[in-house]
Amino acid sequence: MRVVVLMGGLSREREISLRSGRRVVEALRKLGHDVVPLDVKEDFFEKISILKRSDVVFIALHGTFGEDGRIQAILDMLGVRYTGSGVLASSICFDKLFTYKVLKGIVPIPEYKVVKEVGESPMGYPCVIKPRREGSSIGVHICDDEREYKEKLKKELEVHKEMIVEEYIKGRELTVSILETENGFEVLPILELKPKRRFYDYVAKYTPGMTEFVLPAPLSVEEEKRVKEVAVRAFEETGCRGFGRVDGILKDGEFYFLEINTIPGLTELSDMPASAKAKGMSFEELVDTILRSAFLK
């Protein structure tokens, strides 16, 4: 097939997207496809005709104008088939506040408040602050006291108009990769993350040696069942399709949902390829499965 791979973009995750995209391009070429890499920049709309001449678009864009539903809306308007979730699911999941509102009462989530100015933490200490609309843990901080909270919050509010403040749940960081196949949603081996930093932040995600991957995560039968149940329920309720990754915290047998990544990283250090490998899937097989899922819609 003729496959256009969208990568790069204009978000703060541009470099990660380029790394994901290049690996995808290489894998698709090994699979025998006619591949057209397209670095999404300011001149993107001048290249719309390239999309129209494709059989399918593989979206490897992360962050704004990649995971927020806008590129999906453009492709829908053009009548072009693409990988991953559609407009509504993408826009919901990119906004952590909307995601929490949709899933509240359906899956366990941390207690949270939205703040627009610096003041006392509504969640006490320690607490977590995070932007509504960012990926790769950009702008996420664990704050142990009032000084740290106000300092970090002030800095982030200069970039984002509002921030989510949520309770800090100390537990095991787990990530659940999900693929859509002809048989429905398939959960890949659950990954436990053991970062050498306070949590799985941007540095821990993309710096070699900064995070230990435990695959499969050592879980009891009951814990594994519960984690899968919460992850798939969240994926389904938000309307996600194709592929994605659900992140959360396991504490005392309960899996607390944190977020859904509708276009998870596909770099050499990313979670989903690691989980696929633990299942015995090569990177090419993973990319092929994602590509095929675009034809299930």
Side-chain angles (χ1 to χ4, degrees):
M1 291 184 289
R2 183 178 175 85
V3 185
V4 173
V5 178
L6 296 181
M7 62 179 119
L10 306 173
S11 77
R12 295 167 72 182
E13 297 180 76
R14 173 176 170 78
E15 293 306 315
I16 304 305
S17 175
L18 287 171
R19 284 165 58 181
S20 289
R22 288 173 189 137
R23 287 196 82 207
V24 170
V25 167
E26 182 181 352
L28 288 170
R29 284 177 174 159
K30 287 181 179 178
L31 290 165
H33 298 291
D34 175 16
V35 186
V36 181
L38 183 55
D39 185 353
V40 176
K41 299 180 181 178
E42 290 83 354
D43 62 350
F44 173 70
F45 289 100
E46 299 172 13
K47 301 177 179 178
I48 288 287
S49 60
I50 296 175
L51 304 177
K52 292 180 179 179
R53 295 195 299 269
S54 67
D55 294 309
V56 59
V57 171
F58 195 114
I59 305 176
L61 290 168
H62 306 315
T64 307
F65 199 65
E67 291 180 85
D68 60 6
R70 283 186 273 187
I71 189 65
Q72 290 80 5
I74 291 169
L75 293 170
D76 280 346
M77 182 185 70
L78 295 173
V80 176
R81 193 181 297 274
Y82 56 89
T83 57
S85 295
V87 176
L88 183 58
S90 298
S91 58
I92 289 173
C93 293
F94 190 66
D95 188 318
K96 295 179 179 65
L97 178 59
F98 283 174
T99 309
Y100 279 175
K101 286 182 179 293
V102 169
L103 294 177
K104 191 172 180 63
I106 296 174
V107 298
I109 61 175
E111 293 296 321
Y112 68 92
K113 297 286 185 182
V114 177
V115 299
K116 298 182 180 180
E117 57 187 24
V118 178
E120 287 290 330
S121 165
M123 291 293 126
Y125 304 101
C127 65
V128 180
I129 64 171
K130 59 175 65 171
R132 282 182 62 172
R133 305 177 187 91
E134 276 290 1
S136 291
S137 298
I138 293 172
V140 180
H141 306 275
I142 297 175
C143 303
D144 292 309
D145 52 44
E146 181 180 350
R147 179 199 61 77
E148 187 177 16
Y149 171 75
K150 290 183 175 179
E151 178 185 297
K152 300 292 187 184
L153 183 61
K154 181 176 184 295
K155 179 180 177 182
E156 293 300 337
L157 284 174
E158 292 174 357
V159 180
H160 311 280
K161 292 183 179 180
E162 53 190 358
M163 294 285 286
I164 296 173
V165 182
E166 68 182 35
E167 65 172 320
Y168 173 60
I169 298 176
K170 185 175 177 58
R172 298 167 63 186
E173 293 188 65
L174 302 180
T175 185
V176 186
S177 294
I178 299 173
L179 294 174
E180 184 178 12
T181 69
E182 295 85 352
N183 299 319
F185 293 128
E186 176 183 345
V187 178
L188 297 178
I190 298 167
L191 167 60
E192 180 172 2
L193 303 160
K194 292 190 174 183
K196 295 180 181 178
R197 293 169 65 85
R198 179 74 181 275
F199 69 103
Y200 194 46
D201 62 7
Y202 186 91
V203 175
K205 277 181 167 74
Y206 302 115
T207 306
M210 287 301 295
T211 300
E212 177 188 355
F213 281 11
V214 182
L215 268 168
L219 303 170
S220 68
V221 173
E222 293 78 14
E223 288 173 333
E224 182 176 354
K225 180 182 177 182
R226 182 56 176 160
V227 170
K228 288 182 176 180
E229 180 183 73
V230 169
V232 173
R233 185 77 186 278
F235 203 75
E236 291 178 330
E237 290 291 335
T238 50
C240 291
R241 299 291 305 272
F243 73 122
R245 200 187 74 233
V246 177
D247 298 338
I249 301 291
L250 180 66
K251 180 181 180 182
D252 299 329
E254 187 58 274
F255 186 54
Y256 293 87
F257 170 90
L258 293 181
E259 67 174 315
I260 297 178
N261 295 270
T262 53
I263 305 179
L266 295 170
T267 74
E268 66 283 354
L269 297 176
S270 295
D271 304 341
M272 177 170 271
S275 289
K277 185 177 180 180
K279 183 181 172 60
M281 294 178 72
S282 68
F283 185 72
E284 289 74 26
E285 288 172 324
L286 172 62
V287 168
D288 185 57
T289 301
I290 294 170
L291 188 70
R292 288 174 182 274
S293 69
F295 294 86
L296 299 174
K297 300 178 182 181

